[in-house]
Amino acid sequence: MRIKIYYYLLMFLCIIYSCSHYDNGLEGLNKSNSNGITTVTVEEAKAYLNNNELFKTGEKGKGDTIPLSTNFVTLFQDQINHEPLINSDQKMTVIPAVIAYPKYYSRVVLFRLEDRIIARVFNMKRDQSSTDKNFTGVILITDLEGNFSSAYNVKDGSITHYLVYKIREQNNKGVVGFIPDDPIDGGILDPVKVDGSSSSGQGGIRDVWLAYGPQTGSGANSSNSGSWHYGGGSSGAGTNNPEEAATNPCKEMKKKADDAEFKGKLNEISENLNLNYETGYLMTTNGTSTAYEAIEGDPNKHEIELSPTNPISGYMHTHVVGDSKTGYSTFSMADVKAIYDIYKANKMQDHASFVAGVVSTHGTSYTLMINDISSLISFGATYLSTDSDFYTMENLYDKAFEAVYPVFMPEIKAREFALLSILEGSGLKLMKGNSDFSQWGVVNQVGMNINISNCN
């Protein structure tokens, strides 16, 4: 299912050695120096980031949980992890990030070269034709300010073109700050076909190497070191596989609709809706089976503890009458925050299939799934990271509900409307189930209307 993304990083590492439009000390380097790549430790990475003048001063020294930002990229220093380099005892330091251009899946990559730490932003944007098996789209590589380094068109897992500045744009190389518009969409780049590129499914460009010769094709050397498998092998939060950055919630909920145990557990907690406390399950997937750990809240309170000790694949719970006030018919902002907190705490097994579920005394059932992890990271860092921001979001959620209920919408639809309004840009997808949980549909807001697109 994973394609060999490390080919792209291999190309990236080769190219930065000859990029002369950056004043970064790399001008004299060539491929023979590539075997000098060494690991940047977590402590060294944090020191590098906090001493880097590019990052906004006000964010530094406030703890690891505070994201660091330039005008182009925001990175999450509390999620630094290492990915192994193929056939090497060294590792690549990888940090989740979001950039100024929308729809990219991004990572900041750190490595040491000749006793100097180098930072680059590695970005991937999927095409609509991209599949889980083979990535199709664009790879964009920049520095921390967004200065263009290189870019590639990829089709079915193979690099087909590298992208270069049009003649009239040559003088833009090396400008300070990032290009105001996405250079991929902004019409300032021309595609150049890659000579000798392999056919689909062969792993990418055949003439990509560091110091030891091409990875594929004639003269391939299987002992090559220095390549990085971009996704897997680390203990970082969720999956780092860029092909799974944009997932398909409908596809996952179709599986759940056919999962007798999942539906059975939803039925079990539905039978507890007459209680004055919330009940539920934490789910942990192991291969094809799922373990369910029972959880429950305190009497007369609309809350339940969601603090797993080990990574989980999801959770489900109830919204009940509680302290004489009926709980929400759909998710609360605390439920939304729980998803972000679970991811941030490295307690999420796989963000692509993670599912949060709720059933309520209103006779409703919903799930939330992540369809864009980069958006969720950015949304959570902006709106859910501090108590003040979270309470503001709770207040906005209530105000959105009160604005349409009861004059314009009945209660259940008004709650859906308010939740979707708040979740805009969050990377979360709201799904609604039928009475026996055998059918699920995506809940969409279109103007003042709520539409449900059936997944089954």
Side-chain angles (χ1 to χ4, degrees), residues 162-209:
Y162 60 92
L163 304 178
V164 299
Y165 279 94
K166 293 181 178 179
I167 297 299
R168 68 175 185 274
E169 302 291 346
Q170 288 293 326
N171 291 333
N172 284 345
K173 289 188 176 182
V175 296
V176 176
F178 63 89
I179 302 167
D181 297 317
D182 181 347
I184 305 301
D185 296 335
I188 66 171
L189 300 174
D190 277 333
V192 177
K193 187 172 179 58
V194 173
D195 293 331
S197 60
S198 67
S199 60
S200 174
Q202 297 302 309
I205 293 181
R206 63 183 292 270
D207 292 325
V208 176
W209 66 85

Side-chain angles (χ1 to χ4, degrees), residues 168-366:
R168 68 175 185 274
E169 302 291 346
Q170 288 293 326
N171 291 333
N172 284 345
K173 289 188 176 182
V175 296
V176 176
F178 63 89
I179 302 167
D181 297 317
D182 181 347
I184 305 301
D185 296 335
I188 66 171
L189 300 174
D190 277 333
V192 177
K193 187 172 179 58
V194 173
D195 293 331
S197 60
S198 67
S199 60
S200 174
Q202 297 302 309
I205 293 181
R206 63 183 292 270
D207 292 325
V208 176
W209 66 85
L210 284 179
Y212 309 105
Q215 280 268 2
T216 62
S218 176
N221 186 340
S222 60
S223 66
N224 280 3
S225 64
S227 56
W228 170 47
H229 193 309
Y230 191 90
S234 80
S235 58
T239 176
N240 288 325
N241 184 6
E243 303 126 88
E244 296 171 356
T247 56
N248 188 334
C250 254
K251 181 179 178 180
E252 293 299 323
M253 287 315 299
K254 283 182 180 181
K255 297 176 184 177
K256 298 296 185 186
D258 294 330
D259 186 336
E261 189 174 22
F262 177 80
K263 292 187 292 184
K265 294 301 182 183
L266 284 174
N267 277 312
E268 284 183 25
I269 62 174
S270 296
E271 294 173 359
N272 297 334
L273 288 172
N274 61 331
L275 301 175
N276 67 346
Y277 57 89
E278 296 185 0
T279 61
Y281 290 101
L282 299 179
M283 299 179 286
T284 305
T285 299
N286 183 10
T288 59
S289 63
T290 300
Y292 291 82
E293 177 188 349
I295 53 175
E296 60 181 47
D298 295 327
N300 299 315
K301 289 187 178 180
H302 293 291
E303 60 186 44
I304 193 167
E305 186 69 25
L306 295 171
S307 300
T309 56
N310 296 303
I312 61 175
S313 58
Y315 71 86
M316 60 176 67
H317 70 304
T318 59
H319 281 178
V320 297
V321 172
D323 55 356
S324 77
K325 296 189 297 183
T326 304
Y328 286 177
S329 57
T330 185
F331 291 95
S332 65
M333 281 310 300
D335 296 329
V336 175
K337 186 176 186 298
I339 297 173
Y340 173 69
D341 287 345
I342 290 169
Y343 177 85
K344 186 178 176 182
N346 291 341
K347 299 301 182 183
M348 189 176 291
Q349 286 185 311
D350 183 358
H351 71 75
S353 57
F354 186 88
V355 58
V358 64
V359 294
S360 80
T361 51
H362 298 260
T364 55
S365 58
Y366 299 90

